[in-house]
Structure formats: C-alpha cells, structure tokens
Amino acid sequence: MGRVAGPWGVRGWIKVVPYGDGPAGLAAQREWWLRSGDQKWRSLRVTEAKVHGSTVVAAIEGIADPESAATLNGSEVAVPRGALPRLRRGEFYLDDLVGLEVESSSGAPLGVVLAVEEYGGPPLLRVGQGAVERLIPCVAPILESVDVDGGGIVVAWEPGY
C-alpha cells in the first residue's frame, strides 16, 4: 500500500507515500503491516492517521518520538487483504497482476508480470520473458484487458518496442 518516507513532526508520527490510488484508503486503516528489507512483516496499530497532501501521516502505537519513527524509514506498508474495499466488476488490485501472462494485442507472448513498479507516473508492469525484461505502462489505451481469474493480460505493446 505504501512506503514509510520518514518521521513527521516532533511526536513520533511517520509520513507514508502511498502506492496506487491515493492516500485516503491507507489513512482509513487502523492496522498496518510493516517490513523493512528482507525482515518479516509485523503488525502495528495505527492510533491516528490523516491525509497530508498526497501522503499519509500517522501515529503508531509505541512510537512516541522522531528517533523511534526514523527506525521505520523505508519500510513497506501493507494492510490485511480482508480490510481492502470489495472490488467492482472490471476492477483489480495491482498486486493481483503479478504472475499473469502478458501478450500483445497481435497475440505475441511478452512474458509474465514479475512486479508492478511506480516511479511517479502510471504504474509500470515489469514483464519478464527469459532474459528479456520490459516495462509496460499499466494505463489505457496500452492496457487493453485484464483477466485476473483467467490469468492473462492483453496490451497494445509489441515485442520489438
């Protein structure tokens, strides 16, 4: 759902840069799971959170000063899947795309989604096929169809791009 960007304020709050659709959904959650590097996920209770521009600032139970908050810097933030809003028809979570087969609109296989990455623009699908990896924008009109249940994605993107 996001990444801890560092401490915020003098009372030990943290600032989180959300992935995906924006900060409101993350700010509404009261249990976050954090992981730094290859450590195990750990559950933390959010005592207060609010949208701050395009980020979320939050107070975490047991974190009361900027020095303690700084220890969470760079941590990935997730929430339990059951806490996410129910999807409407045709919607999907970006995480659901990992592992799906991708093919071009002409039928050429492009590989499998290895990850969904964000660099400030639309999300990018990191698609791998053997030693070849490509980044494909996850945005219409390039993203033509997604069938999470069927395991496939069709994109307006050809192998030579």
Side-chain angles (χ1 to χ4, degrees), residues 7 14 29 36 45 56 69 82 88 104 106 114 125 133 147:
I14 59 172
Q29 302 298 321
S36 182
R45 184 172 173 276
V56 175
R88 294 184 295 242
S104 72
S106 68
L114 304 173
L125 302 177
E133 284 190 8
D147 182 359

Side-chain angles (χ1 to χ4, degrees), residues 110-123:
L110 298 174
V112 175
V113 178
L114 304 173
V116 179
E117 301 186 8
E118 302 210 34
Y119 298 103

Side-chain angles (χ1 to χ4, degrees), residues 102-110 129 132 134-136 142 144 154-161:
V102 180
E103 70 176 38
S104 72
S105 42
S106 68
L110 298 174
Q129 184 178 37
V132 176
R134 52 180 60 89
L135 293 174
I136 301 174
I142 294 169
E144 292 183 348
V154 176
V155 293
W157 201 267
E158 295 300 324
Y161 292 1

Side-chain angles (χ1 to χ4, degrees), residues 26-40:
L26 183 59
Q29 302 298 321
R30 289 300 170 249
E31 177 188 17
W32 288 356
W33 286 81
L34 271 68
R35 176 180 71 179
S36 182
D38 55 359
Q39 295 176 351
K40 291 185 178 185

